[in-house]
């Protein structure tokens, strides 16, 4: 089985592979990350823009790498005073989506985001780290490493996979 992730970010690829390995325990799965543009701001500022970014990434990756069994796109953004991610998955012409858990952000981080910075850069500065977004993410930093970006995304990916895991309960639209 071939799964294409609409990102070259190792944290996102890890999340996808961990989720798919839980779901497809007896299948050999090949994962490939493919960087692609979201078509939205580098830091989406609301849920609609974040979803649009995920859908744009999904469309771009499917066009760039045809023939995969699954395409997975994740886009992180803001919703009010929290960060979260949309997960969008395409399989055999069907689309499913889910949201990750919301992560409350400190007021100073929100102010920096509203001034045009990206969350990963803000967390790097706040926690004196480098490249947080490709590691545990803001989630790890803010939870003292009790949770990671990949782990929280893994849950959302599994939730987005429900229509493909339970196809009899999700008939195709007619």
């Amino acid at each position: 089985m071939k799964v294409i992730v609409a990102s070259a970010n190792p944290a996102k690829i890890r999340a996808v592979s961990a989720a798919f390995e839980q779901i497809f325990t007896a299948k050999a799965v090949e994962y490939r990350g493919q960087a692609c543009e979201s078509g939205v701001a580098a830091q989406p500022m609301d849920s609609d823009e974040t979803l649009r970014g995920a859908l744009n990434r999904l469309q771009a990756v499917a066009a760039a790498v045809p023939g995969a069994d699954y395409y997975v796109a994740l886009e992180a953004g803001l919703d009010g005073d929290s960060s979260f991610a949309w997960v969008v998955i395409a399989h055999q012409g069907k689309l499913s989506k889910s949201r990750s858990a919301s992560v409350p952000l400190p007021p100073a981080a929100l102010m920096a985001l509203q001034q045009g910075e990206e969350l990963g850069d803000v967390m790097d500065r706040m926690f004196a780290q480098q490249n947080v977004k490709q590691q545990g993410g803001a989630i790890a930093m803010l939870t003292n490493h009790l949770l990671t970006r990949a782990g929280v995304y893994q849950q959302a990916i599994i939730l987005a996979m429900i229509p493909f895991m339970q196809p009899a309960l999700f008939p195709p639209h007619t």
Side-chain angles (χ1 to χ4, degrees), residues 42-51 75-86 99 102-106 109-119:
Q43 179 60 68
M45 296 303 285
D46 62 40
S47 180
D48 290 341
E49 182 182 16
T50 306
L51 178 58
E75 185 74 17
L78 292 182
D79 192 4
D81 61 359
S82 296
S83 176
F84 79 104
W86 272 109
R99 287 176 53 131
S102 295
V103 180
L105 295 176
L110 287 169
M111 191 179 315
L113 297 177
Q114 290 164 352
Q115 293 172 357
E117 292 190 60
E118 286 186 58
L119 183 57

Side-chain angles (χ1 to χ4, degrees), residues 93-110:
K94 289 181 78 174
L95 190 72
S96 180
K97 64 184 190 257
S98 182
R99 287 176 53 131
S100 74
S102 295
V103 180
L105 295 176
L110 287 169

Side-chain angles (χ1 to χ4, degrees), residues 1-20:
M1 184 168 61
K2 189 174 182 180
V3 177
I4 306 297
V5 183
S7 177
N9 184 320
K12 291 180 179 182
I13 297 167
R14 266 194 312 276
V16 171
S17 65
F20 274 71

Side-chain angles (χ1 to χ4, degrees), residues 8-61:
N9 184 320
K12 291 180 179 182
I13 297 167
R14 266 194 312 276
V16 171
S17 65
F20 274 71
E21 287 168 14
Q22 279 188 279
I23 296 166
F24 299 105
T25 57
K27 284 195 177 186
V29 182
E30 173 191 339
Y31 303 96
R32 177 175 164 195
Q34 174 75 34
C36 54
E37 294 298 317
S38 68
V40 299
Q43 179 60 68
M45 296 303 285
D46 62 40
S47 180
D48 290 341
E49 182 182 16
T50 306
L51 178 58
R52 197 167 52 255
L55 291 167
N56 290 345
R57 285 184 192 276
L58 190 73
Q59 184 178 24
V61 80

